[in-house]
Amino acid sequence: MSQITTLIQPHGGKLINCYLSEQERKENLLKATNLPSLTLSIRNIADLECIATGVYSPLEGFVNKQEYNSIVRDMRLPNGLAWSIPVTLQIPESEAEQYKLDSEIALAHPNGEILAVMTVNSKFKPNQRFEAQQVYRTSEEAHPGVKAMLQEGNVYLGGPIKLINSVPYQDFLDYRLTPEASRVEFARREWNTVVAFQTRNPIHRAHEYITKIALELVDGLFINPLVGQTKSDDIPADVRMQCYQVLMQKYYPQNRVCLSVFPAAMRYAGPREAIMHAIARQNYGCTHFIVGRDHAGVGDYYGTYDAQYIFDEFTVDELQITPLKFEHAFYCTRSQSMATGKTSPSTKEERIHLSGTKVREMLRSGKTPPPEFSRPEVAEILVSSMKLTTV
């Protein structure tokens, strides 16, 4: 007999859906052609997608001034609901005059296609240095998140959106599950408990180890790699997807793992981004979320486990998704297996530490990652891709 599947509620209790009916879409598209048009950046498009499909529930648009101030200051929306990073629509001050307060504007793809209509109910210039310090813990432009924020513009427009046309993706079409679709899939598989794994790197042996430990505790594993904008030196998403696919085929039980892309752009906001990532996965229908070493980190801006500590600042009523906190995993030469400091008595010299950074360094120097570091099938894909980029 099939079990009754009861999925976790979306953050805030309601899954946001900004899609219009066909009739509404036609009416709004006609109207939008006569509205002031704003061409979205790559990060804007990713945020629009996440808002419209409910990934960022309960947000119904780009944040207004009141929401922005509350998030930056307190990591909560004005109603007290947990939210850690302001999702903003920014423009240069030189272009601000054409977008009027209390009016509608068209949001366009760089190819000219109108994607959405937004009601501008807020227009303001915040203290970006304060935002940077609060969200990224630094105002240095060397930080990729700070740099991206400053480049987007210093005038912020806020307001709800209505999606007219879906974002015209050409890649990963079989792996673009919206929260509504992932919930249907989890229910079909009769998964009541699901653990999400966020990554922007190929899955190396340490990742495989912690995901499989997590899989012992729940019904299913949701591998949800970020494929939005990342740093130029990160391994491209299409290469990473090949790695995820071969790993799933050979090293994971097919009936207990689901692969789908996360369309968000990477902010590298460390602890605050860990909270945002967890909330997004709750909206996808996940009950648990893996938080490892330096989640969403970059450089030396955050402490090794700061992204785990920040969850202690929220109650179980504020964040229903459960974080699974893992120590830095390594290959133990004494036991000849993966381990952490909790399970291995090995000395420092007996531990081979793994990281996405080390993988990239080895590939750039023409070295093949060893089996203690990466599955041979994954290493082969990575080496082949590096050869293609250097030809």
Side-chain angles (χ1 to χ4, degrees), residues 63-65 91 93 95-102 120-126 155-158:
V63 298
N64 60 34
K65 184 177 182 179
I91 55 174
E93 191 168 5
E95 300 176 11
E97 179 59 30
Q98 62 185 305
Y99 306 115
K100 307 295 184 183
L101 191 61
D102 299 323
V120 181
N121 62 19
S122 181
K123 182 178 177 181
F124 61 103
K125 282 180 62 178
V155 175
Y156 291 42
L157 304 179

Side-chain angles (χ1 to χ4, degrees), residues 187-252:
R188 185 189 71 78
R189 296 181 181 221
E190 299 182 344
W191 291 354
N192 285 291
T193 54
V194 186
V195 62
F197 179 61
Q198 146 76 31
T199 180
R200 69 175 196 271
N201 290 303
I203 293 178
H204 51 61
R205 295 293 299 275
H207 293 151
E208 184 182 335
Y209 175 72
I210 63 176
T211 55
K212 287 181 174 176
I213 290 176
L215 194 49
E216 293 282 2
L217 308 175
V218 296
D219 299 327
L221 168 66
F222 188 50
I223 298 177
N224 196 210
L226 184 145
V227 298
Q229 190 175 35
T230 57
K231 295 189 285 84
S232 60
D233 62 341
D234 281 339
I235 292 172
D238 60 333
V239 175
R240 291 189 280 115
M241 283 296 287
Q242 293 178 53
C243 298
Y244 307 141
Q245 289 163 343
V246 74
L247 273 173
M248 283 181 57
Q249 291 164 6
K250 298 202 65 172
Y251 297 103
Y252 286 87

Side-chain angles (χ1 to χ4, degrees), residues 15 38 47-48 75 110 112 216 253 322 380:
L15 193 63
L38 192 161
D47 286 339
L48 179 75
M75 291 194 293
E216 293 282 2
T322 301
E380 183 180 346

Side-chain angles (χ1 to χ4, degrees), residues 98-381:
Q98 62 185 305
Y99 306 115
K100 307 295 184 183
L101 191 61
D102 299 323
S103 68
E104 289 187 318
I105 63 173
L107 304 181
H109 191 276
N111 67 11
E113 182 180 10
I114 295 175
L115 298 180
V117 169
M118 172 178 165
T119 302
V120 181
N121 62 19
S122 181
K123 182 178 177 181
F124 61 103
K125 282 180 62 178
N127 182 336
Q128 290 186 308
R129 180 171 292 275
F130 181 70
E131 176 185 345
Q133 288 288 351
Q134 290 288 100
V135 174
Y136 301 103
R137 299 190 179 181
T138 179
S139 58
E140 293 179 9
E141 290 190 44
H143 186 292
V146 175
K147 182 180 179 180
M149 182 260 289
L150 295 175
Q151 287 178 338
E152 291 281 327
N154 60 347
V155 175
Y156 291 42
L157 304 179
I161 62 159
K162 293 180 288 189
L163 196 71
I164 293 175
N165 289 306
S166 297
V167 177
Y169 292 115
Q170 303 298 323
D171 53 2
F172 317 129
L173 299 183
D174 293 334
Y175 295 95
R176 289 192 177 273
L177 294 181
T178 64
E180 183 178 349
S182 63
R183 286 171 171 271
V184 169
E185 180 64 14
F186 297 163
R188 185 189 71 78
R189 296 181 181 221
E190 299 182 344
W191 291 354
N192 285 291
T193 54
V194 186
V195 62
F197 179 61
Q198 146 76 31
T199 180
R200 69 175 196 271
N201 290 303
I203 293 178
H204 51 61
R205 295 293 299 275
H207 293 151
E208 184 182 335
Y209 175 72
I210 63 176
T211 55
K212 287 181 174 176
I213 290 176
L215 194 49
E216 293 282 2
L217 308 175
V218 296
D219 299 327
L221 168 66
F222 188 50
I223 298 177
N224 196 210
L226 184 145
V227 298
Q229 190 175 35
T230 57
K231 295 189 285 84
S232 60
D233 62 341
D234 281 339
I235 292 172
D238 60 333
V239 175
R240 291 189 280 115
M241 283 296 287
Q242 293 178 53
C243 298
Y244 307 141
Q245 289 163 343
V246 74
L247 273 173
M248 283 181 57
Q249 291 164 6
K250 298 202 65 172
Y251 297 103
Y252 286 87
Q254 296 292 294
N255 63 337
R256 297 197 60 211
V257 62
C258 178
L259 173 64
S260 176
V261 299
F262 182 44
M266 195 70 203
R267 285 173 161 82
Y268 304 94
R272 284 207 182 207
E273 195 160 10
I275 297 296
M276 189 180 192
H277 285 168
I279 291 172
R281 277 31 181 254
Q282 179 181 330
N283 290 328
Y284 276 108
C286 300
T287 54
H288 297 72
F289 182 64
I290 293 171
V291 187
R293 179 190 63 86
D294 196 26
H295 184 103
V298 64
D300 297 319
Y301 290 102
Y302 315 109
T304 305
Y305 295 107
D306 283 358
Q308 296 183 358
Y309 303 146
I310 196 171
F311 281 86
D312 298 333
E313 299 180 31
F314 298 87
T315 67
V316 291
D317 292 329
E318 290 182 300
L319 286 180
Q320 292 183 36
I321 191 167
T322 301
L324 297 182
K325 304 174 182 179
F326 286 93
E327 289 190 4
H328 194 187
F330 50 82
Y331 184 84
C332 172
T333 57
R334 183 188 301 189
S335 62
Q336 296 186 351
S337 64
M338 300 302 303
T340 71
K342 289 183 175 180
T343 60
S344 172
S346 58
T347 63
K348 182 178 179 181
E349 291 73 25
E350 295 173 302
R351 300 178 179 185
I352 301 175
H353 284 281
L354 321 171
S355 74
T357 301
K358 284 189 177 181
V359 169
R360 293 191 294 271
E361 288 174 353
M362 293 180 75
L363 292 172
R364 280 194 291 268
S365 62
K367 298 178 181 177
T368 299
E372 298 87 359
F373 206 102
S374 180
R375 293 290 188 182
E377 297 87 350
V378 171
E380 183 180 346
I381 292 170

